Amino acid sequence: MAKQHLAAALLMAALLAPTPVLAAPDTPAEPAEPKLRADALWTDWKAINRQSIQAETQARTAPAPSLRRRSQAEASALGARVGEAVAIGDCAEGERLAREAADFALVEAVRAHCAPPKP
């Protein structure tokens, strides 16, 4: 019986003793999560509005080159090129030319002309 008590005591000591496998590694602890600052919780709407107004002002002062007015000769030449492409049956090329010139009314005209007839 004494041997059983001794064996049980040794087993308990072995189970309770710290082992290298179970010990915590010597790696540094992970840094704590960054603390939230109170000013990061709100949006500065005044700054956003100011940036928006500046962007709109810059957009208004520099018009896109494709939106400039064409002279009568330029408009006629574009219409002739698109018309030639559509006349030979190349509607895709006519639409591409009109779209490239940013003449969206002409794009719609090409689409309407080239659309298959409705039954």
Side-chain angles (χ1 to χ4, degrees):
M1 182 88 105
K3 286 185 179 182
Q4 288 179 344
H5 287 289
L6 181 61
L10 287 175
L11 179 63
M12 288 296 280
L15 290 175
L16 294 177
T19 60
V21 174
L22 298 176
D26 290 338
T27 58
E30 291 183 22
E33 289 189 31
K35 293 185 180 184
L36 292 176
R37 296 185 347 241
D39 62 339
L41 297 176
W42 287 275
T43 301
D44 185 6
W45 291 108
K46 288 181 182 179
I48 291 173
N49 189 38
R50 191 176 326 108
Q51 292 171 355
S52 174
I53 290 171
Q54 287 173 349
E56 289 175 9
T57 303
Q58 290 172 353
R60 270 190 244 128
T61 57
S66 62
L67 298 179
R68 66 177 176 78
R69 302 259 319 152
R70 289 184 184 81
S71 68
Q72 184 64 32
E74 289 174 327
S76 295
L78 175 63
R81 285 195 313 270
V82 171
E84 288 172 7
V86 171
I88 62 172
D90 193 358
C91 291
E93 178 65 15
E95 186 175 339
R96 187 194 67 77
L97 288 169
R99 187 177 297 282
E100 187 177 277
D103 191 338
F104 298 109
L106 188 54
V107 170
E108 290 300 319
V110 169
R111 286 182 182 166
H113 178 79
C114 295
K118 294 181 182 178

